[in-house]
Amino acid sequence: MEKNNIKKTVLTGDRPTGKLHLGHFVGSIQNRLKLQNEAEKSFYMVADMQALTDNAENPEKIRINTLEVAIDNLACGLDPQKTTMFIQSQIPEIAELALLFMNLVTLARLKRNPTVKSEMKQKGFGEDVPAGFLIYPVSQAADILFAKANLIPVGEDQKPMIEQTNEIVDSFNRIYGETFGHVSHLVGETPRLVGTDGNSKMSKSLNNGIYLSDSDEVIEKKVMEMYTDPNHIHVEDSGKVEGNVVFMYLDIFDSNKEEIIELKKQYQKGGLGDVVLKKRLAKVLSELITPIRERREKIAENPKAVMDILQEGTKKAREEAIKTLNEVRQAMKIDFF
Ligand code: TRP
């Protein structure tokens, strides 16, 4: 039963800049999997055009990872029967829609978008930011609105994109007539996963991620190097739980909550070594990742089948885009021939 009468159209996507990690998994993939069973329609986009906005000189990287992120999502359980999986660049109507939306957004507003702001800082762009990168929130609004999606499962960092999309919806409807509905975001239980180094966000560019394709050995090595409490030197020392990455991960990924409470007490009191905890965490993470990695390897054996899924999905999604664009052209009085 629907909670209200609005039918859910879910849409989400990834930039294909690298393989996906645990931060993606808890931040949005888990929600995608759940929602594909509840939604009236569900879309998944490989946002290769968006990835190119700050990777203009690395087209090969984006191309390779277009396949990789699709495989990651399939391995996690995204089901092409339930979710229309497609490639952004193959739907030119999205680009056209973005160009039309561009008139409704000011440069000042784009520069104020907190996510764009922090990404610009991280990438050291300053005033030399590629124009395409600065306007990617507008193109993301087009990603969402071409499908008239209303529910967007994303990581916490994507909230400002949804806010900007809703501003575009309001402006569009006010000027050209009621065309689009408002969009909501849904963040996962863990909207932001800290990196293995204790940095506030797991991210490829910070090199602090555990990937859905990592082997047991790699997982164990990364866990062993995790940030804990630098003052917890001897086993008998009392240790700090707050800010301790191993405990943060155990809280999220270890289902035995009672034992974790006990372990925390013991750690604080002294007498519990980091290695014991790390071994436990490595095991928990291996149990989560191994089936995904194994499915991943199997799916990767047949890249043509993955491309076929994407091609079929793209065809289906494009039909929606064409419909929406016709409506938009009419509303904007540019439907000449
Ligand atoms: N910006 C998103 C990210 O970096 C990817 C993305 C592109 C997206 N278009 C989208 C997410 C539309 C949700 C809806 O992760």
Short mmCIF file of all heavy atoms in Angstrom, two decimals, residues 185-250:
data_model
loop_
_atom_site.label_atom_id
_atom_site.label_comp_id
_atom_site.label_asym_id
_atom_site.label_seq_id
_atom_site.Cartn_x
_atom_site.Cartn_y
_atom_site.Cartn_z
N HIS A 185 14.77 13.54 -1.72
CA HIS A 185 15.92 12.64 -1.68
C HIS A 185 15.75 11.68 -0.51
O HIS A 185 15.00 11.94 0.43
CB HIS A 185 17.22 13.42 -1.54
CG HIS A 185 17.32 14.16 -0.26
ND1 HIS A 185 16.96 15.47 -0.13
CD2 HIS A 185 17.69 13.75 0.96
CE1 HIS A 185 17.11 15.84 1.10
NE2 HIS A 185 17.56 14.83 1.80
N LEU A 186 16.43 10.57 -0.61
CA LEU A 186 16.40 9.60 0.48
C LEU A 186 17.84 9.18 0.73
O LEU A 186 18.48 8.61 -0.16
CB LEU A 186 15.55 8.40 0.06
CG LEU A 186 15.34 7.36 1.15
CD1 LEU A 186 14.43 7.90 2.23
CD2 LEU A 186 14.77 6.08 0.56
N VAL A 187 18.36 9.52 1.91
CA VAL A 187 19.74 9.10 2.20
C VAL A 187 19.72 7.79 2.98
O VAL A 187 18.77 7.49 3.69
CB VAL A 187 20.54 10.17 2.97
CG1 VAL A 187 20.81 11.39 2.13
CG2 VAL A 187 19.85 10.54 4.26
N GLY A 188 20.77 7.03 2.84
CA GLY A 188 20.87 5.73 3.49
C GLY A 188 21.01 5.85 4.99
O GLY A 188 21.14 6.95 5.53
N GLU A 189 21.01 4.69 5.65
CA GLU A 189 21.16 4.67 7.11
C GLU A 189 22.47 5.31 7.53
O GLU A 189 22.58 5.89 8.60
CB GLU A 189 21.13 3.23 7.62
CG GLU A 189 19.74 2.72 7.90
CD GLU A 189 19.76 1.24 8.21
OE1 GLU A 189 20.60 0.81 9.02
OE2 GLU A 189 18.93 0.52 7.62
N THR A 190 23.48 5.16 6.68
CA THR A 190 24.76 5.79 6.94
C THR A 190 25.03 6.74 5.79
O THR A 190 25.65 6.39 4.81
CB THR A 190 25.88 4.73 7.01
OG1 THR A 190 25.49 3.71 7.92
CG2 THR A 190 27.19 5.32 7.46
N PRO A 191 24.54 7.97 5.90
CA PRO A 191 24.63 8.89 4.77
C PRO A 191 26.06 9.23 4.38
O PRO A 191 26.34 9.55 3.25
CB PRO A 191 23.89 10.14 5.24
CG PRO A 191 23.39 9.87 6.60
CD PRO A 191 23.84 8.54 7.06
N ARG A 192 26.95 9.15 5.37
CA ARG A 192 28.35 9.48 5.07
C ARG A 192 29.25 8.52 5.82
O ARG A 192 29.27 8.52 7.06
CB ARG A 192 28.63 10.92 5.50
CG ARG A 192 29.99 11.44 5.08
CD ARG A 192 30.23 12.78 5.74
NE ARG A 192 29.32 13.79 5.23
CZ ARG A 192 29.64 14.67 4.28
NH1 ARG A 192 30.82 14.66 3.76
NH2 ARG A 192 28.76 15.56 3.88
N LEU A 193 29.96 7.69 5.09
CA LEU A 193 30.85 6.73 5.75
C LEU A 193 32.25 7.32 5.83
O LEU A 193 32.79 7.78 4.83
CB LEU A 193 30.88 5.42 4.93
CG LEU A 193 31.72 4.28 5.51
CD1 LEU A 193 31.12 3.76 6.82
CD2 LEU A 193 31.85 3.14 4.50
N VAL A 194 32.83 7.30 7.04
CA VAL A 194 34.21 7.82 7.15
C VAL A 194 35.15 6.91 6.38
O VAL A 194 34.91 5.73 6.21
CB VAL A 194 34.70 7.93 8.62
CG1 VAL A 194 33.92 8.95 9.41
CG2 VAL A 194 34.69 6.58 9.31
N GLY A 195 36.26 7.49 5.96
CA GLY A 195 37.29 6.71 5.27
C GLY A 195 38.09 5.89 6.26
O GLY A 195 38.02 6.11 7.47
N THR A 196 38.87 4.93 5.75
CA THR A 196 39.66 4.07 6.63
C THR A 196 40.69 4.87 7.43
O THR A 196 41.17 4.44 8.46
CB THR A 196 40.41 3.00 5.82
OG1 THR A 196 41.15 3.65 4.79
CG2 THR A 196 39.45 2.00 5.20
N ASP A 197 41.03 6.07 6.94
CA ASP A 197 42.01 6.92 7.62
C ASP A 197 41.37 7.86 8.64
O ASP A 197 42.04 8.69 9.24
CB ASP A 197 42.79 7.75 6.59
CG ASP A 197 41.85 8.60 5.74
OD1 ASP A 197 40.61 8.47 5.88
OD2 ASP A 197 42.36 9.39 4.92
N GLY A 198 40.05 7.75 8.80
CA GLY A 198 39.36 8.62 9.75
C GLY A 198 38.91 9.93 9.11
O GLY A 198 38.23 10.74 9.73
N ASN A 199 39.29 10.13 7.85
CA ASN A 199 38.84 11.32 7.13
C ASN A 199 37.32 11.27 6.98
O ASN A 199 36.74 10.20 6.87
CB ASN A 199 39.48 11.33 5.74
CG ASN A 199 39.62 12.73 5.21
OD1 ASN A 199 38.64 13.45 5.06
ND2 ASN A 199 40.86 13.11 4.96
N SER A 200 36.69 12.44 6.95
CA SER A 200 35.24 12.48 7.09
C SER A 200 34.48 11.75 5.99
O SER A 200 33.33 11.41 6.14
CB SER A 200 34.76 13.92 7.19
OG SER A 200 34.97 14.54 5.95
N LYS A 201 35.10 11.50 4.88
CA LYS A 201 34.36 10.85 3.80
C LYS A 201 35.22 9.82 3.07
O LYS A 201 36.37 10.09 2.72
CB LYS A 201 33.91 11.93 2.80
CG LYS A 201 32.88 11.45 1.82
CD LYS A 201 32.53 12.51 0.83
CE LYS A 201 31.79 11.89 -0.33
NZ LYS A 201 31.73 12.77 -1.49
N MET A 202 34.62 8.65 2.83
CA MET A 202 35.32 7.66 2.02
C MET A 202 35.29 8.14 0.58
O MET A 202 34.22 8.45 0.04
CB MET A 202 34.64 6.29 2.14
CG MET A 202 35.37 5.21 1.36
SD MET A 202 34.71 3.54 1.62
CE MET A 202 35.42 3.13 3.20
N SER A 203 36.44 8.20 -0.03
CA SER A 203 36.47 8.76 -1.38
C SER A 203 37.69 8.24 -2.14
O SER A 203 38.76 8.05 -1.56
CB SER A 203 36.47 10.29 -1.27
OG SER A 203 37.39 10.86 -2.15
N LYS A 204 37.46 8.02 -3.41
CA LYS A 204 38.52 7.50 -4.25
C LYS A 204 39.71 8.44 -4.25
O LYS A 204 40.86 8.02 -4.12
CB LYS A 204 37.99 7.32 -5.67
CG LYS A 204 38.98 6.71 -6.60
CD LYS A 204 38.30 6.26 -7.88
CE LYS A 204 39.33 5.69 -8.83
NZ LYS A 204 40.15 6.72 -9.44
N SER A 205 39.42 9.75 -4.35
CA SER A 205 40.52 10.70 -4.47
C SER A 205 41.33 10.81 -3.18
O SER A 205 42.49 11.21 -3.20
CB SER A 205 40.01 12.07 -4.91
OG SER A 205 38.83 12.39 -4.22
N LEU A 206 40.72 10.44 -2.04
CA LEU A 206 41.46 10.48 -0.78
C LEU A 206 42.16 9.15 -0.50
O LEU A 206 42.89 9.02 0.49
CB LEU A 206 40.52 10.83 0.38
CG LEU A 206 39.84 12.20 0.33
CD1 LEU A 206 38.79 12.33 1.41
CD2 LEU A 206 40.86 13.32 0.45
N ASN A 207 41.93 8.17 -1.38
CA ASN A 207 42.60 6.88 -1.26
C ASN A 207 42.35 6.23 0.11
O ASN A 207 43.26 5.73 0.75
CB ASN A 207 44.10 7.07 -1.51
CG ASN A 207 44.79 5.77 -1.82
OD1 ASN A 207 44.14 4.79 -2.19
ND2 ASN A 207 46.10 5.73 -1.62
N ASN A 208 41.11 6.29 0.57
CA ASN A 208 40.80 5.74 1.89
C ASN A 208 39.56 4.83 1.83
O ASN A 208 38.78 4.77 2.76
CB ASN A 208 40.58 6.88 2.89
CG ASN A 208 39.41 7.77 2.51
OD1 ASN A 208 38.69 7.46 1.56
ND2 ASN A 208 39.21 8.85 3.24
N GLY A 209 39.43 4.15 0.70
CA GLY A 209 38.22 3.36 0.48
C GLY A 209 38.43 1.86 0.52
O GLY A 209 39.52 1.36 0.28
N ILE A 210 37.35 1.16 0.86
CA ILE A 210 37.32 -0.31 0.72
C ILE A 210 36.30 -0.59 -0.39
O ILE A 210 35.14 -0.17 -0.29
CB ILE A 210 36.92 -0.99 2.04
CG1 ILE A 210 38.00 -0.72 3.09
CG2 ILE A 210 36.72 -2.50 1.84
CD1 ILE A 210 37.70 -1.31 4.46
N TYR A 211 36.75 -1.28 -1.42
CA TYR A 211 35.94 -1.43 -2.63
C TYR A 211 35.16 -2.73 -2.66
O TYR A 211 35.56 -3.73 -2.05
CB TYR A 211 36.86 -1.30 -3.86
CG TYR A 211 37.30 0.13 -4.01
CD1 TYR A 211 38.37 0.63 -3.27
CD2 TYR A 211 36.58 1.01 -4.81
CE1 TYR A 211 38.74 1.95 -3.34
CE2 TYR A 211 36.94 2.34 -4.88
CZ TYR A 211 38.00 2.81 -4.15
OH TYR A 211 38.33 4.13 -4.19
N LEU A 212 34.04 -2.70 -3.38
CA LEU A 212 33.19 -3.88 -3.51
C LEU A 212 33.89 -4.97 -4.30
O LEU A 212 33.42 -6.10 -4.36
CB LEU A 212 31.85 -3.51 -4.16
CG LEU A 212 31.05 -2.43 -3.42
CD1 LEU A 212 29.79 -2.06 -4.18
CD2 LEU A 212 30.70 -2.90 -2.01
N SER A 213 35.02 -4.61 -4.92
CA SER A 213 35.79 -5.59 -5.70
C SER A 213 37.05 -6.03 -4.95
O SER A 213 37.83 -6.82 -5.48
CB SER A 213 36.16 -4.97 -7.04
OG SER A 213 36.68 -3.66 -6.86
N ASP A 214 37.27 -5.54 -3.74
CA ASP A 214 38.50 -5.89 -3.01
C ASP A 214 38.51 -7.36 -2.57
O ASP A 214 37.49 -7.90 -2.14
CB ASP A 214 38.64 -5.00 -1.75
CG ASP A 214 39.20 -3.62 -2.07
OD1 ASP A 214 39.67 -3.41 -3.21
OD2 ASP A 214 39.16 -2.75 -1.18
N SER A 215 39.70 -7.96 -2.66
CA SER A 215 39.86 -9.35 -2.20
C SER A 215 39.93 -9.38 -0.67
O SER A 215 40.16 -8.35 -0.04
CB SER A 215 41.15 -9.94 -2.77
OG SER A 215 42.26 -9.28 -2.19
N ASP A 216 39.79 -10.59 -0.11
CA ASP A 216 39.88 -10.74 1.36
C ASP A 216 41.22 -10.19 1.88
O ASP A 216 41.26 -9.55 2.92
CB ASP A 216 39.75 -12.21 1.76
CG ASP A 216 38.30 -12.69 1.64
OD1 ASP A 216 37.41 -11.83 1.44
OD2 ASP A 216 38.07 -13.90 1.73
N GLU A 217 42.28 -10.45 1.12
CA GLU A 217 43.61 -10.00 1.56
C GLU A 217 43.67 -8.47 1.61
O GLU A 217 44.20 -7.89 2.54
CB GLU A 217 44.72 -10.51 0.62
CG GLU A 217 44.91 -12.02 0.59
CD GLU A 217 43.78 -12.76 -0.13
OE1 GLU A 217 43.36 -12.26 -1.20
OE2 GLU A 217 43.31 -13.79 0.38
N VAL A 218 43.13 -7.86 0.56
CA VAL A 218 43.15 -6.39 0.50
C VAL A 218 42.29 -5.80 1.62
O VAL A 218 42.69 -4.85 2.29
CB VAL A 218 42.69 -5.89 -0.89
CG1 VAL A 218 42.48 -4.39 -0.90
CG2 VAL A 218 43.70 -6.30 -1.96
N ILE A 219 41.13 -6.40 1.84
CA ILE A 219 40.25 -5.92 2.92
C ILE A 219 41.01 -5.99 4.24
O ILE A 219 41.05 -5.02 5.00
CB ILE A 219 38.95 -6.76 3.00
CG1 ILE A 219 38.11 -6.57 1.73
CG2 ILE A 219 38.13 -6.38 4.24
CD1 ILE A 219 36.94 -7.55 1.60
N GLU A 220 41.63 -7.15 4.48
CA GLU A 220 42.33 -7.32 5.75
C GLU A 220 43.45 -6.29 5.90
O GLU A 220 43.62 -5.67 6.95
CB GLU A 220 42.89 -8.75 5.86
CG GLU A 220 43.79 -8.91 7.07
CD GLU A 220 43.75 -10.29 7.71
OE1 GLU A 220 42.84 -11.07 7.39
OE2 GLU A 220 44.66 -10.55 8.52
N LYS A 221 44.18 -6.06 4.83
CA LYS A 221 45.30 -5.11 4.88
C LYS A 221 44.77 -3.71 5.20
O LYS A 221 45.32 -2.99 6.04
CB LYS A 221 46.03 -5.13 3.54
CG LYS A 221 47.22 -4.22 3.49
CD LYS A 221 48.10 -4.49 2.26
CE LYS A 221 49.24 -3.49 2.16
NZ LYS A 221 48.81 -2.15 1.75
N LYS A 222 43.68 -3.32 4.54
CA LYS A 222 43.13 -1.98 4.76
C LYS A 222 42.60 -1.83 6.18
O LYS A 222 42.75 -0.78 6.81
CB LYS A 222 42.03 -1.68 3.74
CG LYS A 222 42.58 -1.43 2.34
CD LYS A 222 41.48 -1.19 1.33
CE LYS A 222 42.07 -0.86 -0.04
NZ LYS A 222 41.04 -0.73 -1.07
N VAL A 223 41.97 -2.90 6.68
CA VAL A 223 41.45 -2.83 8.05
C VAL A 223 42.61 -2.74 9.05
O VAL A 223 42.57 -1.97 10.01
CB VAL A 223 40.54 -4.04 8.36
CG1 VAL A 223 40.19 -4.09 9.84
CG2 VAL A 223 39.27 -3.99 7.51
N MET A 224 43.68 -3.50 8.79
CA MET A 224 44.82 -3.49 9.70
C MET A 224 45.46 -2.10 9.77
O MET A 224 46.07 -1.73 10.77
CB MET A 224 45.87 -4.54 9.28
CG MET A 224 45.43 -5.96 9.57
SD MET A 224 45.11 -6.20 11.34
CE MET A 224 44.08 -7.66 11.31
N GLU A 225 45.34 -1.35 8.68
CA GLU A 225 45.95 0.00 8.67
C GLU A 225 44.97 1.09 9.13
O GLU A 225 45.29 2.27 9.10
CB GLU A 225 46.43 0.32 7.24
CG GLU A 225 47.68 -0.47 6.88
CD GLU A 225 48.01 -0.44 5.39
OE1 GLU A 225 47.29 0.23 4.63
OE2 GLU A 225 48.98 -1.10 5.02
N MET A 226 43.78 0.68 9.53
CA MET A 226 42.77 1.66 9.90
C MET A 226 43.17 2.53 11.09
O MET A 226 43.87 2.07 11.99
CB MET A 226 41.46 0.95 10.30
CG MET A 226 40.43 0.97 9.22
SD MET A 226 38.95 0.16 9.84
CE MET A 226 38.05 0.11 8.30
N TYR A 227 42.64 3.73 11.08
CA TYR A 227 42.88 4.67 12.17
C TYR A 227 42.10 4.22 13.40
O TYR A 227 40.90 3.98 13.33
CB TYR A 227 42.43 6.07 11.74
CG TYR A 227 42.69 7.13 12.76
CD1 TYR A 227 43.92 7.77 12.85
CD2 TYR A 227 41.68 7.49 13.66
CE1 TYR A 227 44.15 8.74 13.81
CE2 TYR A 227 41.92 8.47 14.61
CZ TYR A 227 43.15 9.09 14.68
OH TYR A 227 43.37 10.04 15.63
N THR A 228 42.79 4.12 14.56
CA THR A 228 42.07 3.76 15.80
C THR A 228 42.24 4.88 16.82
O THR A 228 41.76 5.97 16.60
CB THR A 228 42.55 2.40 16.35
OG1 THR A 228 43.96 2.45 16.55
CG2 THR A 228 42.20 1.26 15.42
N ASP A 229 42.92 4.57 17.91
CA ASP A 229 43.25 5.61 18.89
C ASP A 229 44.77 5.65 18.99
O ASP A 229 45.39 4.71 19.48
CB ASP A 229 42.61 5.25 20.24
CG ASP A 229 43.11 6.14 21.37
OD1 ASP A 229 43.89 7.08 21.08
OD2 ASP A 229 42.73 5.91 22.52
N PRO A 230 45.37 6.74 18.51
CA PRO A 230 46.85 6.78 18.46
C PRO A 230 47.50 6.66 19.85
O PRO A 230 48.67 6.31 19.94
CB PRO A 230 47.14 8.14 17.83
CG PRO A 230 45.87 8.92 17.87
CD PRO A 230 44.75 7.94 17.97
N ASN A 231 46.73 6.89 20.92
CA ASN A 231 47.30 6.78 22.26
C ASN A 231 47.11 5.39 22.87
O ASN A 231 47.53 5.14 23.99
CB ASN A 231 46.68 7.83 23.19
CG ASN A 231 47.04 9.22 22.73
OD1 ASN A 231 48.19 9.47 22.33
ND2 ASN A 231 46.07 10.11 22.73
N HIS A 232 46.44 4.53 22.13
CA HIS A 232 46.23 3.16 22.61
C HIS A 232 47.40 2.32 22.11
O HIS A 232 47.35 1.71 21.05
CB HIS A 232 44.89 2.65 22.04
CG HIS A 232 44.51 1.30 22.55
ND1 HIS A 232 44.43 0.21 21.73
CD2 HIS A 232 44.17 0.87 23.79
CE1 HIS A 232 44.06 -0.84 22.44
NE2 HIS A 232 43.89 -0.46 23.69
N ILE A 233 48.47 2.33 22.91
CA ILE A 233 49.71 1.72 22.43
C ILE A 233 49.87 0.29 22.94
O ILE A 233 50.15 -0.62 22.18
CB ILE A 233 50.92 2.60 22.84
CG1 ILE A 233 50.79 3.97 22.13
CG2 ILE A 233 52.24 1.93 22.44
CD1 ILE A 233 51.61 5.06 22.74
N HIS A 234 49.65 0.10 24.23
CA HIS A 234 49.76 -1.25 24.80
C HIS A 234 48.36 -1.81 25.01
O HIS A 234 47.41 -1.06 25.26
CB HIS A 234 50.49 -1.21 26.14
CG HIS A 234 51.81 -0.50 26.04
ND1 HIS A 234 52.88 -1.05 25.37
CD2 HIS A 234 52.22 0.71 26.49
CE1 HIS A 234 53.90 -0.19 25.41
NE2 HIS A 234 53.51 0.89 26.09
N VAL A 235 48.27 -3.12 24.92
CA VAL A 235 46.97 -3.79 25.08
C VAL A 235 46.28 -3.35 26.37
O VAL A 235 45.08 -3.09 26.39
CB VAL A 235 47.14 -5.33 25.06
CG1 VAL A 235 45.83 -6.04 25.39
CG2 VAL A 235 47.66 -5.79 23.71
N GLU A 236 47.05 -3.20 27.43
CA GLU A 236 46.42 -2.89 28.71
C GLU A 236 46.01 -1.42 28.84
O GLU A 236 45.27 -1.05 29.73
CB GLU A 236 47.28 -3.36 29.90
CG GLU A 236 48.70 -2.86 30.02
CD GLU A 236 49.71 -3.47 29.04
OE1 GLU A 236 49.34 -4.30 28.17
OE2 GLU A 236 50.89 -3.09 29.11
N ASP A 237 46.46 -0.56 27.91
CA ASP A 237 46.05 0.85 27.95
C ASP A 237 44.55 0.96 27.72
O ASP A 237 43.96 0.17 27.00
CB ASP A 237 46.73 1.65 26.81
CG ASP A 237 48.23 1.80 27.03
OD1 ASP A 237 48.68 1.52 28.16
OD2 ASP A 237 48.92 2.16 26.06
N SER A 238 43.98 2.02 28.33
CA SER A 238 42.57 2.24 28.02
C SER A 238 42.50 2.98 26.68
O SER A 238 43.34 3.81 26.35
CB SER A 238 41.91 3.04 29.15
OG SER A 238 41.90 4.40 28.85
N GLY A 239 41.49 2.61 25.86
CA GLY A 239 41.41 3.16 24.50
C GLY A 239 40.16 4.01 24.29
O GLY A 239 39.20 3.91 25.05
N LYS A 240 40.23 4.85 23.28
CA LYS A 240 39.09 5.72 22.98
C LYS A 240 38.23 5.10 21.89
O LYS A 240 38.72 4.62 20.87
CB LYS A 240 39.59 7.09 22.49
CG LYS A 240 39.37 8.19 23.52
CD LYS A 240 39.96 9.50 23.06
CE LYS A 240 39.04 10.21 22.08
NZ LYS A 240 39.59 11.53 21.72
N VAL A 241 36.92 5.15 22.12
CA VAL A 241 35.98 4.59 21.16
C VAL A 241 35.55 5.66 20.15
O VAL A 241 35.42 5.40 18.95
CB VAL A 241 34.76 3.99 21.91
CG1 VAL A 241 33.62 3.69 20.95
CG2 VAL A 241 35.17 2.74 22.67
N GLU A 242 35.38 6.89 20.67
CA GLU A 242 34.95 7.99 19.78
C GLU A 242 36.05 8.30 18.77
O GLU A 242 37.22 8.39 19.14
CB GLU A 242 34.65 9.27 20.58
CG GLU A 242 33.59 9.14 21.64
CD GLU A 242 34.14 8.45 22.90
OE1 GLU A 242 35.27 8.76 23.33
OE2 GLU A 242 33.44 7.56 23.43
N GLY A 243 35.66 8.45 17.54
CA GLY A 243 36.63 8.79 16.50
C GLY A 243 37.47 7.59 16.07
O GLY A 243 38.35 7.71 15.22
N ASN A 244 37.20 6.44 16.68
CA ASN A 244 37.94 5.22 16.35
C ASN A 244 37.24 4.54 15.17
O ASN A 244 36.12 4.05 15.28
CB ASN A 244 37.93 4.32 17.59
CG ASN A 244 38.80 3.09 17.43
OD1 ASN A 244 38.81 2.48 16.36
ND2 ASN A 244 39.50 2.71 18.48
N VAL A 245 37.91 4.53 14.04
CA VAL A 245 37.27 4.07 12.81
C VAL A 245 36.81 2.61 12.91
O VAL A 245 35.74 2.25 12.42
CB VAL A 245 38.20 4.26 11.59
CG1 VAL A 245 37.54 3.76 10.32
CG2 VAL A 245 38.57 5.73 11.44
N VAL A 246 37.60 1.80 13.59
CA VAL A 246 37.24 0.38 13.69
C VAL A 246 35.89 0.23 14.39
O VAL A 246 35.01 -0.51 13.93
CB VAL A 246 38.34 -0.43 14.41
CG1 VAL A 246 37.92 -1.88 14.61
CG2 VAL A 246 39.64 -0.37 13.61
N PHE A 247 35.70 0.99 15.47
CA PHE A 247 34.40 0.92 16.15
C PHE A 247 33.28 1.54 15.32
O PHE A 247 32.15 1.04 15.32
CB PHE A 247 34.48 1.57 17.54
CG PHE A 247 34.99 0.63 18.59
CD1 PHE A 247 36.21 0.85 19.21
CD2 PHE A 247 34.26 -0.50 18.94
CE1 PHE A 247 36.69 -0.03 20.18
CE2 PHE A 247 34.72 -1.39 19.90
CZ PHE A 247 35.95 -1.16 20.52
N MET A 248 33.60 2.60 14.60
CA MET A 248 32.55 3.20 13.75
C MET A 248 32.06 2.18 12.72
O MET A 248 30.87 2.06 12.47
CB MET A 248 33.09 4.42 13.00
CG MET A 248 33.34 5.63 13.88
SD MET A 248 33.70 7.03 12.79
CE MET A 248 34.88 7.88 13.74
N TYR A 249 33.00 1.44 12.16
CA TYR A 249 32.62 0.44 11.15
C TYR A 249 31.89 -0.74 11.80
O TYR A 249 30.93 -1.26 11.24
CB TYR A 249 33.86 -0.07 10.40
CG TYR A 249 34.29 0.82 9.26
CD1 TYR A 249 34.48 2.18 9.44
CD2 TYR A 249 34.50 0.30 7.99
CE1 TYR A 249 34.89 2.99 8.40
CE2 TYR A 249 34.90 1.11 6.94
CZ TYR A 249 35.10 2.45 7.15
OH TYR A 249 35.50 3.25 6.11
N LEU A 250 32.37 -1.15 12.98
CA LEU A 250 31.69 -2.27 13.65
C LEU A 250 30.24 -1.87 13.96
O LEU A 250 29.32 -2.68 13.80
CB LEU A 250 32.43 -2.66 14.94
CG LEU A 250 33.74 -3.44 14.74
CD1 LEU A 250 34.51 -3.55 16.05
CD2 LEU A 250 33.48 -4.84 14.16
#
